[in-house]
Amino acid sequence: MSAAFVIVGGGIAGVTCAETLSALCSDVKIILLAASGLIKTVVNFQQVSRTLESFQVEERPKTSLEEHCPNVEVVEKIVLSLNSEKNKIICSDGSEVVYKKLCICTGGRPKLIPGNNERVLGIRDVQSVVEFQKMLSNAKRLLVVGNGGIATELVHEIQGCEVIWAIKDSYITSTFVDAGAAQFFLPHLNNEKTTENLPSKRLKYVVDKDAKNSNAPVLGGALGPDWATSHEMSGSEKGPRSVFVEHCVEVKKVLTPEEFKKSQLKDVTPPGFRTAPPLPQETWPVYVELTNGTVYGCDFIVSATGIIPNSEIFLKGNKFDTSTDGYLNVNSRMETSVTDVYAAGDICSATWEWAPQWQQMHLWTQARQMGCYAAKCMAAALKVEEVQMDFCFELFAHVTVFFNFKVVLLGKFNAQGLGDDYEMLLRVTIGEEYVKAVLQDGRLVGAILIGETNLEETFENLILNAMDLTPFKEHLLNPNIDIEDFFD
Ligand code: FAD
C-alpha cells in the first residue's frame, strides 16, 4: 500500500489533517491509518471571533470521512513501527504503507500514578468512561488525583458518592485558573449552581450511540468537551456528592487491603464522611498513602494527572528530537526532526518561537488547529510552495465550562512566563462572575472571564491590538461602562 500522504491516528488532529489535505490536493491519494473503525469528526464549526472557535465533535464510522473526501482511504490498522529511511510504516498485521509525507497524530494515554493496581483508573476514551461508570455504580467513596480539566469536571459531575480530591497545588483547577478563581468556584464544589440560563458549552462532545456497543478500540481517541455531562456519573448512594479536598499532596503509595493491614498504617476519615468501610466489608478495596502521611481507604482511584504521548513506536530506530517527556518536537511548519515526517495534536511539542500571547496546551481546539495547519504545510511542501503561520497561533483562546460556569481563557491568562512584571485588575461578584485582566506595560496580555461577562470579543481585540490602556485602566472593569462602546 502507498500514498503521497499518510496520516496515523483517527482523533481530531488526524481527521482534520486528512480533510484539509483532501480539500487542498483533491487529486492526490491520502491514507488515514486508524486503530478503530470509529473516527472523530468536527461538525458545526463556527469562527466565533478572530480566535475563539465553536464546534461539536462526533464519533462516526470511518466511511463518513471517505464519503465526503473521496481521495481519502481510512484503513483500520494499528501501527507498530516506522522506517523513516525507507519512508515506510509497518502495521501490526505485518502490512507496510509507503508515504511521501507522513503526519503522526497518535495523541496520548493517561499517565497513571505508580502502583499497577487494578483499582486505579485513567480516563481517556469512551471505553475507559464505560469502565469508570461500572466501578462508580458500586462505589461509596472514590479518590480523584489530579488538578486539571478532567479531575475538575469529574469531581463536579459525580453524584451519590463521597469524593476525596487529592491535588498537588494549594488551590483547585490550577491548570486553568488562578487561586482567586478557584476560591470563586469553591462554594460550588458541594452545592449545585442552578443550571437555569446556563451558557451552552461551546464545544460539545457527542458519542455515537453505536460506539459503546462496538468492538472496543484498542487505543481510543481522547474524549473531549461535555464527556462528563453526557455520561451517567452516579455512585451507589442516593443524594448529592460530598467532596473533601486534600491540598499540596501527591500519591506516595497505593496499597491493597492486605498490604494496608501489614503496613500498620492508620486510615483517616474526612470530616462528614462515613467512618468505616461499608458492611459486610471490613476493609476498603484499596488504600492510598499521600505524601503528607495521610492514608485514605476508598473503592477506587481515578488518576487524572496528565498524559503520556503515544510516541514510543516511532522513536525506535528513528532520530526524532523529543521533549524530555517524549513529545515529538515540531518546528513552525509542523515538521519533526525526521525528513518528511510531520506531527500534530496531543503527540507534539511546539518548539517554534511562540507569539507572545500564545501557549501550547493539550486541548481539542489546538488538535484541530494543528491538524489543519500541518495539512497546509504538507501540501505546500509537496507543491514546493511557501506557507504562512496560521493566525490561530497568535493568541491562546479557550472556552470551557467548570462548575456550570462558562469560562473563557485568553492569552497569558495566568500571567504565565511574566514573572513579577505584570499588573492584575479584578472584578468579582460572588456566585455570578469573576473577571481578571492581566496587563503588562499598560497593555492587556491575558484574561480569565468566568460567568456571562460578554467581554471576550472586546478583550480579544484589546490583546491582539496591543493598545496602551494606561489612560483607561480604571474604567476597564467598571460594570457601569459598556466597554465595547468605550473603545469603538
Ligand atoms: P487523540 O484524540 O488521542 O487521537 C489519537 C488517535 O490515534 C486515536 O484515535 C488512537 O486510536 C490513535 N492511535 C494511537 N496509537 C496508534 C497506533 N499505534 N496506530 C494507529 N492509531 C493509533 N479538550 C478540550 O479542548 N476541552 C475539554 O473540555 C477537554 N476535555 C477532555 C476530557 C477528557 C476526559 C480527555 C481525555 C481529554 C479532554 N480534552 C479536552 C483534550 C482533548 O480531547 C485532546 O486534546 C484531543 O482529543 C487530542 O486530539 P488528538 O487527535 O491529538 O489525539
Side-chain angles (χ1 to χ4, degrees):
M1 224 184 316
S2 71
F5 297 122
V6 174
I7 301 149
V8 188
I12 285 302
V15 173
T16 310
C17 183
E19 284 174 328
T20 313
L21 275 172
S22 169
L24 294 172
C25 307
S26 54
D27 51 352
V28 174
K29 186 173 171 191
I30 301 157
I31 291 179
L32 174 71
L33 298 171
S36 120
L38 291 167
I39 53 160
K40 296 274 190 336
T41 313
V42 169
V43 292
N44 302 330
F45 178 82
Q46 278 181 319
Q47 195 71 48
V48 179
S49 65
R50 279 163 85 188
T51 54
L52 281 168
E53 299 173 346
S54 145
F55 59 84
Q56 295 174 304
V57 173
E58 286 186 4
E59 202 160 51
R60 289 191 175 163
K62 65 187 180 102
T63 45
S64 68
L65 179 62
E66 293 168 335
E67 276 158 21
H68 75 271
C69 300
N71 57 333
V72 176
E73 188 186 350
V74 184
V75 185
E76 201 178 326
K77 281 192 195 291
I78 294 171
V79 169
L80 267 198
S81 62
L82 165 69
N83 181 338
S84 62
E85 276 177 12
K86 297 198 168 143
N87 281 35
K88 202 163 67 178
I89 283 279
I90 296 99
C91 303
S92 59
D93 59 0
S95 59
E96 298 181 346
V97 187
V98 175
Y99 60 85
K100 279 194 183 139
K101 305 277 172 205
L102 169 72
C103 191
I104 301 175
C105 304
T106 45
R109 57 186 186 279
K111 193 197 286 171
L112 294 186
I113 47 171
N116 209 8
N117 187 304
E118 58 178 21
R119 293 209 162 245
V120 177
L121 202 73
I123 293 191
R124 180 74 185 170
D125 50 17
V126 176
Q127 198 189 341
S128 59
V129 172
V130 172
E131 174 71 2
F132 167 77
Q133 286 174 305
K134 215 165 77 192
M135 288 178 94
L136 181 65
S137 64
N138 294 313
K140 294 188 164 40
R141 184 191 292 174
L142 97 116
L143 188 132
V144 177
V145 195
N147 206 8
I150 298 174
T152 303
E153 292 206 45
L154 203 62
V155 169
H156 181 251
E157 290 305 325
I158 290 169
Q159 298 293 329
C161 192
E162 293 171 347
V163 182
I164 299 165
W165 189 6
I167 58 174
K168 67 175 176 7
D169 316 276
S170 55
Y171 62 90
I172 62 166
T173 322
S174 68
T175 312
F176 291 94
V177 298
D178 60 0
Q183 196 65 33
F184 173 87
F185 286 140
L186 265 188
H188 303 282
L189 250 187
N190 283 300
N191 302 317
E192 282 310 327
K193 172 183 179 270
T194 170
T195 50
E196 256 175 63
N197 303 324
L198 230 197
S200 68
K201 195 165 180 173
R202 284 196 175 154
L203 305 180
K204 185 158 171 54
Y205 179 73
V206 182
V207 181
D208 187 291
K209 63 179 182 329
D210 298 330
K212 290 173 205 157
N213 306 324
S214 74
N215 290 332
V218 182
L219 305 143
L223 290 162
D226 280 358
W227 66 280
T229 42
S230 59
H231 289 83
E232 176 73 27
M233 297 270 177
S234 294
S236 65
E237 308 285 85
K238 294 283 156 276
R241 68 187 163 273
S242 317
V243 182
F244 178 78
V245 185
E246 185 75 67
H247 298 91
C248 303
V249 289
E250 289 183 49
V251 171
K252 187 172 169 196
K253 206 167 177 194
V254 176
L255 300 108
T256 61
E258 297 73 37
E259 287 168 335
F260 171 70
K261 267 189 188 159
K262 271 199 218 145
S263 72
Q264 312 272 310
L265 289 165
K266 289 253 173 306
D267 64 324
V268 297
T269 305
F273 278 32
R274 61 169 55 241
T275 49
L279 290 170
Q281 289 167 229
E282 282 178 17
T283 56
W284 289 98
V286 65
Y287 290 81
V288 181
E289 186 185 357
L290 300 174
T291 43
N292 64 358
T294 311
V295 178
Y296 291 113
C298 58
D299 287 293
F300 72 106
I301 301 156
V302 177
S303 175
T305 50
I307 59 166
I308 300 171
N310 290 323
S311 59
E312 300 92 334
I313 50 168
F314 301 103
L315 302 183
K316 262 183 277 157
N318 302 293
K319 291 200 175 98
F320 281 100
D321 284 348
T322 64
S323 64
T324 44
D325 34 11
Y327 292 90
L328 302 180
N329 287 349
V330 290
N331 64 17
S332 60
R333 291 181 304 278
M334 303 305 289
E335 291 165 320
T336 66
S337 54
V338 171
T339 312
D340 296 328
V341 183
Y342 296 71
D346 277 9
I347 185 77
C348 78
S349 170
T351 58
W352 65 80
E353 198 178 323
W354 297 347
Q357 267 65 264
W358 188 82
Q359 64 250 324
Q360 185 179 12
M361 284 182 83
H362 291 130
L363 293 169
W364 208 318
T365 12
Q366 292 197 354
R368 195 201 68 78
Q369 292 165 344
M370 287 182 169
C372 178
Y373 179 55
K376 289 180 188 169
C377 296
M378 291 163 80
L382 201 75
K383 296 176 187 168
V384 199
E385 287 173 0
E386 282 300 307
V387 69
Q388 287 278 314
M389 178 65 110
D390 257 22
F391 186 75
C392 62
F393 300 111
E394 282 299 305
L395 174 66
F396 176 86
H398 184 59
V399 191
T400 188
V401 172
F402 288 134
F403 301 100
N404 286 339
F405 286 93
K406 176 171 149 186
V407 177
V408 177
L409 306 172
L410 294 172
K412 300 285 178 190
F413 57 91
N414 257 343
Q416 295 95 327
L418 302 183
D420 293 332
D421 180 25
Y422 69 93
E423 201 181 338
M424 212 171 83
L425 303 176
L426 207 58
R427 178 173 96 199
V428 187
T429 312
I430 300 293
E432 246 180 70
E433 62 163 26
Y434 178 94
V435 178
K436 182 180 90 171
V438 182
L439 284 92
Q440 192 177 42
D441 298 330
R443 288 163 174 84
L444 189 64
V445 293
I448 297 181
L449 308 172
I450 302 175
E452 277 305 324
T453 66
N454 285 328
L455 289 171
E456 52 266 41
E457 276 198 67
T458 311
F459 273 34
E460 179 193 41
N461 284 330
L462 290 176
I463 297 176
L464 286 169
N465 298 343
M467 187 177 182
D468 186 359
L469 299 170
T470 312
F472 321 102
K473 230 166 37 186
E474 62 212 59
H475 303 297
L476 194 64
L477 299 190
N478 184 338
N480 301 319
I481 292 178
D482 189 339
I483 187 167
E484 222 172 311
D485 296 344
F486 198 78
F487 287 106
D488 262 353

